[in-house]
Amino acid sequence: MRTPGTVAWPQTNADDYRQRGYWTGERLDTIAAAHAVERPYVIALVDSAERVSYAELERRVAELAAGFAAQGIRPRDRVLLQLPNRVSFVVSALALMRAGAIPVYLLPAHRISELSAIAAQADPVAYIGPAIHDGFDFRDMAAVLAQGIPGGLMVMIDGAPRASQLDLAQVMRLGAVSPRPVPEVDSSDLAFLQLSGGTTGTPKLIPRSHDDYLYSVRRSVEVCQYGESTVLLLVLPAAHNFPMSSPGFLGALMAGGQVVLAAHGAPELAFALIEQEQVTHVPLVPPLALAWTRAAQNSTANLASLDTISVGGAKFLPGAAVDLQRVLGVRLQQVFGMAEGLVCYTRADDDAFTVAETQGRPMSADDEVLILDDSGNPVAPGDPGHLLTRGPYTIRGYYKAPVHNSTAFTPDGYYRTGDIARQLPSGHLVVEGRSKDQINRGGEKISAEEVEDHLLAHPNVFDAAVVAVPDKFLGEISCAVIVADGPPPSRADVHAFIRGRGVAAHKIPDRVHVVAAFPVTGVGKNSRAELRRTLKDQLTPSA
Ligand code: OOB
């Protein structure tokens, strides 16, 4: 039986994907297992504390999986995973899947508001997090979360736990002395849940299967030509789809390369790591790519080992793309993807124009892409329109979200990306904009509705709309437009209020703008979206 709440591909497509060799029946947790046998001493993972070989990685995955089982975690149980970029993140993710459990990937930036909303949907049995990271105590947050879950929540901490919480290292030691058989898992069934960028009040969870995700990693490894000599530096949060699978740390492990995990992407730290570890590949979001370009001009670090910087998550402008390659002396690869599936890459043999001006082309020959006008008809070739997609690794529905799915997907299974794009004759896509109610703050996605719901809880806010405004560095920042009820709250009030509600820092509105009343827009169920559009136009001076 399939995991309830997931949407299967139609049988004919599934058969087809298997026949073409896309879906192989393997499991994600075995992604590095062959290297552990064939090249046991080769280093797989490096973080600021340790270097871990393929054999050691495999041993830890097996032991921690047995430890999870010994603690009562059963196949299909959901487990919230909120570790920063360190070895234990990779080990825990693979070990959960080895135990047949379903990791639910959280970002280190998430706070109690996001955790509660996600827990309400995922119904987890356990949480895994750090003790303290970036000055924030995750143990206390986990304790608060656990109180709100009727059946309780097992909390495992990588570091010193509080009383009544477990030490993750101890759980692994328990597994070492009580090995268990690996439970069978259907490779076409749910492997993990990832967060969507979100356009709704509560974030939607993305169910990915072993088959579809492994294919996306395998195809990414081929397109990006990862191999045993690949040294990948991970500065973006490993739980995000881009650094995880495009080709990401999973791709580097599949290829038998080395993954260097760093806590952040500040140039001083990253450049030192590149030199020290002879890094060849780095995925970055545009603001970091800009910061690296600027920093490299005054840096004495030797970055000669760097082969390719991949930039994705938000639009990377052509001028910045040219500068990056010139200043850093690297190859640029643009990546346009989404946790729901579709990933596009520029290729190593694309010409300079294509690499600078496009966001790449779909990686699979079986990615289907439609570009439609507002009425749902195909646009003329080369014209911009709504991008829809389906294929061997694009989901057919969000987790337990039938109502949302009825509009987010077409009846014949295309995912409405909410992006506006045009397609060149070569198949390359140029992302022109967005129709979804989301702010893309330098690659970090913010749902307008989610932040508005927080603002509306403020006693002096009568109404609120959150819109994107352009920003030189981040591409976009968020602006809260507020109609006050009584004395208007200041920017500092709004910040303190939202932070106090336990919301990820990047969602706190960058700007606060108080208006007497909202402009009158047409009525109807889309009036909210129309209001945001009108406000955005008013806030953005036309060039
Ligand atoms: C990646 O995944 P998500 O799920 O955080 O966000 C997806 C959305 C896209 O629908 C698009 O709106 C935007 O992020 N986006 C880009 C872009 N890459 C993503 N917009 C313009 N140019 C780009 N290059 O962000 C993601 C997942 C896998 C690989 C790369 C990025």
Side-chain angles (χ1 to χ4, degrees):
M1 200 198 63
R2 264 190 96 71
T3 303
T6 61
V7 185
W9 277 258
Q11 192 60 46
T12 49
N13 294 106
D15 291 344
D16 200 31
Y17 298 150
R18 284 193 189 96
Q19 208 180 358
R20 285 166 198 244
Y22 297 163
W23 293 4
T24 58
E26 290 157 287
R27 289 170 60 159
L28 267 165
D29 54 278
T30 61
I31 199 155
H35 298 299
V37 177
E38 287 154 22
R39 308 157 61 241
Y41 304 111
V42 171
I43 297 298
L45 301 171
V46 176
D47 69 12
S48 60
E50 55 181 342
R51 312 176 75 78
V52 172
S53 69
Y54 274 95
E56 172 68 8
L57 169 62
E58 180 59 23
R59 183 186 69 78
R60 289 192 195 183
V61 169
E63 291 182 1
L64 187 56
F68 288 146
Q71 288 296 344
I73 293 177
R74 289 167 324 208
R76 290 198 172 156
D77 280 349
R78 272 82 53 212
V79 176
L80 305 176
L81 180 57
Q82 192 179 26
L83 287 169
N85 285 10
R86 50 170 95 148
V87 167
S88 59
F89 175 88
V90 179
V91 172
S92 300
L94 297 178
L96 286 168
M97 293 189 272
R98 180 70 53 89
I102 310 294
V104 184
Y105 295 125
L106 302 169
L107 298 174
H110 288 141
R111 296 292 177 261
I112 191 68
S113 146
E114 285 92 6
L115 263 61
S116 309
I118 293 159
Q121 294 182 64
D123 191 17
V125 301
Y127 166 93
I128 303 173
I132 293 178
H133 174 69
D134 261 352
F136 181 77
D137 198 320
F138 286 75
R139 296 167 297 195
D140 296 341
M141 179 168 67
V144 173
L145 179 70
Q147 278 164 14
I149 296 183
L153 186 76
M154 185 193 309
V155 174
M156 288 172 274
I157 298 295
D158 179 26
R162 296 244 186 269
S164 89
Q165 300 180 343
L166 299 169
D167 176 351
L168 188 68
Q170 191 65 41
V171 175
M172 186 152 85
R173 281 195 285 275
L174 184 64
V177 295
S178 53
R180 306 242 166 167
V182 177
E184 277 198 24
V185 168
D186 182 343
S187 64
S188 68
D189 201 357
L190 180 61
F192 62 84
L193 292 166
Q194 202 154 37
L195 275 179
S196 82
T199 53
T200 50
T202 47
K204 294 285 170 281
L205 295 173
I206 296 171
R208 301 290 300 254
S209 68
H210 295 270
D211 277 333
D212 93 73
Y213 211 62
L214 267 175
Y215 170 59
S216 84
V217 176
R218 196 179 318 108
R219 184 63 193 136
S220 294
V221 165
E222 282 168 15
V223 167
C224 303
Q225 300 169 332
Y226 276 25
E228 290 177 1
S229 57
T230 299
V231 181
L232 176 74
L233 174 62
L234 226 58
V235 301
L236 303 177
H240 190 275
N241 194 55
F242 176 28
M244 181 178 286
S245 67
S246 309
F249 73 82
L250 289 176
L253 293 178
M254 181 185 267
Q258 183 177 309
V259 180
V260 180
L261 296 139
H264 58 81
E268 314 79 67
L269 170 70
F271 288 2
L273 284 171
I274 290 169
E275 197 169 329
Q276 189 184 310
E277 301 293 340
Q278 293 292 290
V279 168
T280 59
H281 291 75
V282 194
L284 293 179
V285 287
L288 276 179
L290 292 175
W292 284 32
T293 306
R294 202 175 301 160
Q297 284 159 343
N298 307 308
S299 167
T300 53
N302 181 353
L303 307 178
S305 63
L306 260 190
D307 177 306
T308 303
I309 293 183
S310 309
V311 180
K315 175 96 174 201
F316 196 40
L317 296 174
V322 170
D323 289 349
L324 174 87
Q325 296 171 87
R326 182 175 47 79
V327 173
L328 281 139
V330 291
R331 220 162 23 185
L332 165 69
Q333 176 182 53
Q334 294 218 36
V335 188
F336 163 52
M338 52 209 68
E340 286 81 357
L342 180 70
V343 178
C344 304
Y345 295 106
T346 57
R347 310 299 209 261
D349 57 1
D350 280 342
D351 59 34
F353 168 87
T354 307
V355 170
E357 304 266 348
T358 82
Q359 278 64 60
R361 63 186 166 86
M363 66 170 158
S364 171
D366 281 270
D367 282 320
E368 297 174 82
V369 160
L370 298 177
I371 299 192
L372 305 179
D373 64 20
D374 288 345
S375 327
N377 299 312
V379 298
D383 280 0
H386 300 277
L387 176 71
L388 287 79
T389 185
R390 64 179 186 188
Y393 62 99
T394 296
I395 58 162
R396 294 296 182 120
Y398 291 101
Y399 184 64
K400 291 188 180 165
V403 176
H404 184 65
N405 287 342
S406 66
T407 52
F409 295 82
T410 64
D412 50 0
Y414 280 92
Y415 167 56
R416 299 182 203 274
T417 66
D419 292 312
I420 306 291
R422 63 191 164 87
Q423 194 162 30
L424 307 182
S426 60
H428 289 79
L429 294 168
V430 179
V431 180
E432 299 276 3
R434 197 173 52 231
S435 60
K436 55 189 166 192
D437 276 327
Q438 193 179 71
I439 295 98
N440 189 338
R441 192 177 184 277
E444 291 188 297
K445 316 303 181 317
I446 303 166
S447 156
E449 188 179 319
E450 185 185 338
V451 181
E452 287 165 6
D453 287 348
H454 286 296
L455 290 166
L456 287 171
H458 189 290
N460 295 113
V461 171
F462 174 71
D463 204 351
V466 175
V467 298
V469 290
D471 180 77
K472 251 194 161 137
F473 185 63
L474 290 169
E476 293 176 7
I477 55 175
S478 66
C479 178
V481 186
I482 288 174
V483 180
D485 182 2
S490 67
R491 180 172 180 271
D493 289 338
V494 170
H495 279 206
F497 179 75
I498 304 259
R499 186 169 290 118
R501 288 174 66 82
V503 179
H506 62 262
K507 295 182 190 166
I508 296 173
D510 295 289
R511 291 200 193 153
V512 175
H513 190 68
V514 179
V515 294
F518 280 154
V520 179
T521 59
V523 284
K525 75 176 166 58
N526 281 328
S527 61
R528 206 68 221 164
E530 201 181 316
L531 170 67
R532 292 187 192 108
R533 264 197 299 279
T534 310
L535 288 170
K536 185 174 188 301
D537 291 345
Q538 288 178 358
L539 286 166
T540 310
S542 51

